[in-house]
Amino acid sequence: MLRCLKQIVVWGALSLSVAGFAQAKDIDISGVRFGVNGKVTRFVLDMSRKTTPQIFLLADPYRVVIDLPEANWHASDDVKTSGAVAGFRHGLFTPGTYRIVLDLDKPATVQSIFNLPSKGGYGPRLVLDLQASSRGDFLKAVAESKKARPIPAPTVVDATPMPRRKGGKRIIVLDPGHGGPDPGNLGVIGVYEKTIVLNIAKEIRRELEKTGRYEVRMTRDRDIFWPVRERFRIARRMHADLFISVHADSISDHRTKGGSVYNLSEVASDKEAARLAARENKSDVIAGVNLDVVDDDVSNILIDLAQRETMNFSAQFGELLVRELRSEDVPMLPRSHRYANLGVLKAPDIPSVLMEVGYLTNRSNAKFLNSSKGRKRIAKATVIAVDKFFDHMVALGR
Ligand SMILES: [Zn+2]
């Protein structure tokens, strides 16, 4: 547990030096294929060189996780899966680790894994054979793969909290949702949520910094993954005065469009809010995080008196943000201030909101969110709401 915590802190520290973290990516992935032979599903990666990946299995849902050194992905994602594999995702998981997650629709265990040298027009390949299995055998393999995983070497990074603000500037932490092997929603215009919300958050940062009144920090400013709970821990370590998580929604009815702002509540404001929370909270599962090693210290935070004040401030900021988004002509849902049990909003001492900027499943909404005009309007509204919020805090003597 302690080791896990320490590691999380280390990740947090690394994220702060993101800009300077241009590590050499030493592997190129140029192709991906699936094939079936009887009960065996074969997964092939075309690689620029031989590599030894770390592989482990996760249950409920059945997943195979393949960790490679940091890699450049040039392969097409438009690949038909087959056999036991129903889908796959990939992306930067932590600095230095590129993760591929295979979603299985039935249990299958790793029969073999090997590298093939260049031959017959193909370059070096990594081959993984999965053998259909019973659930019992899969669970056994999960336990074994956990045992076989080497304990990551402790990284020596200065994990001390960041200094508090200087010169009276308020610290705002922006949290673009998803990232790396968790792409979020794929909109009708073919751009992932993780990309759209990162661009929006960067625009908000630019506009907030322009005022000279705020110090803006981001949980991520590139395409990398963070566990849900780690995001608000980063905010706490950064001494955030305000935390804004940025997401974009999807729904089966493609006519639905408009943004909404969420505050934390153990009771969802409606069915739609509960559905959204279930989906957004699943980010760790999607990225192949082994949930039983994630410590659970915050899942039981009760909404008690100590947290009540933070909740009130969060709700006030939520209200301001909705109003300003509307007046900047950002399309909004009719009932756009909602409540849900969202893991990322659980910092007990930082006013926090989650902004769903709109629906990527609606074409005009998705285009707006992916446009510079759309980003600018959202950023402008956010700055005005933040200004009003802190004016209010000053008036309260804070
Ligand atoms: Zn999201």
Side-chain angles (χ1 to χ4, degrees):
M1 185 74 76
L2 201 65
R3 178 167 48 75
C4 173
L5 260 175
K6 187 174 173 203
Q7 193 186 351
I8 278 168
V9 171
V10 164
W11 288 356
L14 278 173
S15 79
L16 305 178
S17 55
V18 158
F21 202 87
Q23 180 173 320
K25 296 178 181 177
D26 62 347
I27 293 184
D28 290 305
I29 299 170
S30 55
V32 47
R33 289 182 293 288
F34 294 88
V36 183
N37 187 357
K39 289 189 162 184
V40 175
T41 304
R42 174 162 284 193
F43 173 62
V44 183
L45 280 177
D46 295 311
M47 317 272 287
S48 56
R49 68 165 173 81
K50 192 177 161 184
T51 179
T52 312
Q54 298 285 336
I55 295 184
F56 61 96
L57 305 178
L58 294 170
D60 307 318
Y62 301 118
R63 284 156 293 164
V64 177
V65 180
I66 305 161
D67 282 344
L68 300 163
E70 200 160 326
N72 296 301
W73 185 277
H74 306 295
S76 165
D77 286 334
D78 193 15
V79 173
K80 219 173 121 51
T81 58
S82 56
V85 179
F88 72 105
R89 295 175 301 279
H90 57 90
L92 192 60
F93 183 68
T94 58
T97 304
Y98 199 87
R99 172 165 288 188
I100 301 168
V101 184
L102 306 179
D103 296 310
L104 310 183
D105 57 7
K106 41 188 177 267
T109 55
V110 178
Q111 186 187 55
S112 56
I113 172 130
F114 51 93
N115 283 277
L116 285 174
S118 308
K119 198 181 171 190
Y122 286 104
R125 282 146 293 164
L126 178 72
V127 181
L128 174 78
D129 281 341
L130 297 170
Q131 166 91 43
S133 76
S134 66
R135 174 170 170 84
D137 284 346
F138 187 88
L139 294 180
K140 254 184 244 161
V142 169
E144 272 161 31
S145 76
K146 203 185 292 174
K147 258 187 267 163
R149 282 174 78 187
I151 295 165
T155 319
V156 183
V157 177
D158 179 12
T160 50
M162 288 187 72
R164 284 185 181 276
R165 61 178 182 265
K166 291 189 190 108
K169 282 190 183 178
R170 306 275 187 172
I171 296 171
I172 296 160
V173 171
L174 301 174
D175 172 48
H178 312 276
D182 167 22
N185 300 312
L186 177 59
V188 283
I189 59 166
V191 185
Y192 280 117
E193 178 184 358
K194 66 176 181 180
T195 309
I196 285 181
V197 299
L198 177 59
N199 291 336
I200 290 172
K202 283 180 174 171
E203 182 66 30
I204 297 174
R205 173 174 66 181
R206 217 177 349 259
E207 290 301 314
L208 283 168
E209 282 175 344
K210 256 198 224 162
T211 67
R213 290 192 288 275
Y214 307 108
E215 187 172 327
V216 186
R217 297 168 180 176
M218 289 172 75
T219 53
R220 68 176 181 98
D221 65 1
R222 63 173 172 157
D223 186 9
I224 190 168
F225 174 78
W226 290 107
V228 168
R229 285 168 191 148
E230 183 52 19
R231 292 172 184 263
F232 74 72
R233 286 214 185 87
I234 293 172
R236 295 191 76 192
R237 220 174 60 74
M238 291 175 173
H239 302 290
D241 293 297
L242 184 63
F243 177 81
I244 306 172
S245 194
V246 186
H247 287 254
D249 212 344
S250 76
I251 194 164
S252 53
D253 183 350
H254 288 196
R255 288 166 303 183
T256 305
K257 60 191 254 177
S260 47
V261 175
Y262 280 79
N263 281 118
L264 177 67
S265 161
E266 291 198 329
V267 183
S269 53
D270 53 55
K271 238 163 65 184
E272 184 54 28
R275 185 195 62 83
L276 177 123
R279 198 157 41 70
E280 295 293 11
N281 290 342
K282 228 168 53 189
S283 173
D284 293 354
V285 171
I286 289 165
V289 172
N290 202 353
L291 290 174
D292 56 50
V293 301
V294 176
D295 52 321
D296 214 16
D297 59 339
V298 291
S299 61
N300 296 321
I301 286 176
L302 294 172
I303 299 171
D304 58 14
L305 282 174
Q307 220 186 342
R308 185 81 59 196
E309 190 183 57
T310 307
M311 306 267 299
N312 284 341
F313 289 142
S314 300
Q316 284 167 20
F317 179 66
E319 201 59 56
L320 283 168
L321 188 54
V322 164
R323 209 181 304 155
E324 297 308 328
L325 286 165
R326 259 189 222 295
S327 56
E328 289 305 320
D329 280 335
V330 175
M332 297 296 283
L333 285 173
R335 224 171 35 71
S336 42
H337 190 190
R338 296 173 177 216
Y339 291 82
N341 194 354
L342 288 153
V344 78
L345 298 181
K346 288 191 173 177
D349 46 1
I350 305 170
S352 306
V353 301
L354 184 143
M355 160 157 64
E356 292 281 348
V357 288
Y359 283 87
L360 298 182
T361 37
N362 177 278
R363 186 165 293 276
S364 73
N365 210 175
K367 279 187 178 163
F368 174 80
L369 299 174
N370 197 37
S371 70
S372 108
K373 179 183 79 178
R375 287 191 286 271
K376 283 197 160 65
R377 284 200 206 156
I378 292 167
K380 191 174 170 204
T382 307
V383 172
I384 297 171
V386 168
D387 281 346
K388 287 186 175 170
F389 178 69
F390 285 118
D391 285 350
H392 174 65
M393 296 297 265
V394 169
L396 291 175
R398 290 171 172 270

